[in-house]
Amino acid sequence: MKRTLTLRTGLSYSIGSTVYRKDEPKPVEDDQMLYRLIHTGMFEESPPLCYYYIRRKKNLPCGAQRLSHIDGKFLMISDSHPQKITRYQWSKLDSSGQFEIVPPCEVMDILVNEGRNDFSLLIIRDMGAGDVIIATDAVYNLRQRYPNAKITYATSERYVCLIKNLEFIDNVVSIGEFDPAEYDISVNLCGWSEQYPLCAKVHRSDLFGQAFSDNFNWGEHKVFLKLEQEDEEWFEGLNKIHNTESKPVIAVQPYGSSGHRSLDPLAVNQVIDWLISQGFFVIVYGQSQWPNLFHDRPNMLCLWEALSITQVVTIIAHSSLLICPDSSGYHIAAAFDTPSIVVFTTIHEGVRVSYYPRCYPLRATELNCSPCWDRPCGAPSSSNCVKNITGKRLIQKCEEVISQDFPYITHPDYNPPEWN
């Protein structure tokens, strides 16, 4: 499904080498660019993926129903029953001060009160694998609140395999295979958390909950994944061939999505040697954009470029411990209650691991600039902070959690500093 943007406000708008002119639709291939542009309120997307539910403010001195005119279209918006409109239509109406957005949970409660318990709900979340997993937290809680709703989860094609077999989701589809207009309720989480600056320091699960209700009713915080039988069999065969002594497996992911989130290869090699000396079998995995700096040795298997995302999930699910940077890995681990040691640098661990009681964060706390919340680094090396996580520190953390048999812990609340 080709997605296009049409400039509706102003005569032209330039971004990079692309120029948008009024009423001239142009396709947008890059989702990051798409969300950046539509958040300006100047563009209309086709087909629209983001809808708002609005009503007329009750304290206004006007009738219960009234027509509103938007670009040649008339909408009848009352002060009681919410009207579903596109993001662009809302950007046109918002300036009038006559309307307010109704949270999706309130709309769903209205449908339930009208006897429509089986309403259709579409939830859209793309971008990173970690965010796709984190969003299952809110979806699960929605299922508890609306047990008869028909819930569809839409994500990019590469992530459908992650969540397609979760029992509390009725259907999982790729973005481009659906029309949000056909659902009673559609909530687009893409761009929802990104509209907050990182220094807002709110856990991503809570941000997703806020997309449905200002005071989202959390039963419990938990993320979900489920293993495929073929991947289970794949891991069983892999382990049988390489881990002949059936030693407990520890998974190591050296690299993250960027350099300043990736571990120092020297430190990783040191901790691998220590883990092997302690009787563990180590599986190291990575992707093609990163160099493989981890030499083969007994009781270690290095899998580089050869894994599907579901195979990575299976390795983590069957591991006694995961060691990784701030990445999707520890969200996968949390879904299977796999303990994880996670290295944080620019992001404070307090807003990432709050709901993961077997996640043990490690951060370069001796740096006065940490956390900097992914602000541009003025240091000579962009990996300056992660270099402070040495092999010695990683080994000390491993010794600590292993000696205590991977305890369940309570993470303290994070109190953010004041930012100017």
Side-chain angles (χ1 to χ4, degrees), residues 340-344 349-350 353 359-363 397 409 411:
S340 59
I341 293 175
V342 186
V343 174
F344 291 88
E349 65 275 11
V353 303
C359 179
Y360 316 105
L362 187 60
R363 183 166 56 92
K397 195 67 175 180
I409 62 175
H411 299 287

Side-chain angles (χ1 to χ4, degrees), residues 233-272:
E233 294 171 355
W234 167 83
F235 180 81
E236 182 179 345
L238 184 83
N239 203 41
K240 186 176 181 179
I241 294 171
H242 298 280
N243 186 11
T244 56
E245 299 179 41
S246 298
K247 295 183 176 183
V249 174
I250 290 185
V252 178
Q253 177 190 331
Y255 300 119
S257 58
S258 57
H260 67 272
R261 291 194 184 191
S262 299
L263 308 184
D264 179 15
L266 175 61
V268 173
N269 276 301
Q270 289 172 348
V271 77
I272 289 171

Side-chain angles (χ1 to χ4, degrees), residues 117-122 143 146-152 170-171 183:
N117 296 301
D118 59 347
F119 60 83
S120 57
L121 168 61
L122 173 69
R143 170 58 73 199
Y146 306 106
N148 298 316
K150 300 296 185 287
I151 299 179
T152 297
D170 296 296
N171 193 25
Y183 293 81

